[in-house]
Amino acid sequence: QVHLVESGGGLVQPGDALRLSCVASGDTFDNYVMAWFRQAPGKERDFVAAVTITGTGTFYGDSVKGRFTISRDNAKNTAYLQMGNLKFEDTATYYCAARRGPYYSSPAMYNDWGQGTHVTVSS
């Protein structure tokens, strides 16, 4: 089990960029696939991106492809989500999640979650 803490959320304008961080502690970080999900008020938790244990494999939700980049630094026990060209519809609470084993896009497949960091895109 890993303990996850997200940071980096905030209020930005459309077109801006923002980087989220997720620091893990507890179990060995590079045993875990890392993922980002987001949830807007009244909506389901949606898959944003995931990165494999080595960082060589990345996966993205359709709505963020080409704008967001997920990465990880195993030496720092940290996963990142670089968000670019932010849109109003990117407003949500962003959650970091971890799981052992292969990547999945379903939040039900992830056991460990952070508390979330909120991103608001507003003019």
Side-chain angles (χ1 to χ4, degrees):
Q1 185 177 5
V2 288
H3 178 65
L4 304 173
V5 178
E6 303 97 331
S7 63
L11 174 63
V12 296
Q13 294 185 337
D16 282 354
L18 198 63
R19 189 177 80 160
L20 306 183
S21 299
C22 172
V23 179
S25 60
D27 201 355
T28 305
F29 181 66
D30 54 7
N31 284 341
Y32 292 83
V33 165
M34 299 300 298
W36 289 93
F37 292 82
R38 66 186 182 186
Q39 189 167 19
K43 295 189 177 181
E44 295 184 348
R45 191 166 295 191
D46 290 333
F47 172 72
V48 175
V51 60
T52 57
I53 290 171
T54 60
T56 55
T58 56
F59 310 89
Y60 296 94
D62 289 341
S63 62
V64 305
K65 282 181 182 176
R67 299 190 298 122
F68 291 11
T69 302
I70 189 171
S71 62
R72 64 190 296 160
D73 185 338
N74 287 346
K76 295 183 178 180
N77 290 352
T78 303
Y80 303 98
L81 184 68
Q82 179 68 48
M83 304 186 293
N85 189 21
L86 283 160
K87 304 177 179 181
F88 295 119
E89 53 264 39
D90 294 319
T91 295
T93 299
Y94 284 72
Y95 296 91
C96 177
R99 75 178 309 276
R100 288 179 173 263
Y103 138 79
Y104 286 94
S105 62
S106 169
M109 300 303 292
Y110 289 78
N111 300 316
D112 300 314
W113 292 86
Q115 83 290 347
T117 186
H118 194 70
V119 174
T120 300
V121 184
S122 176
S123 56

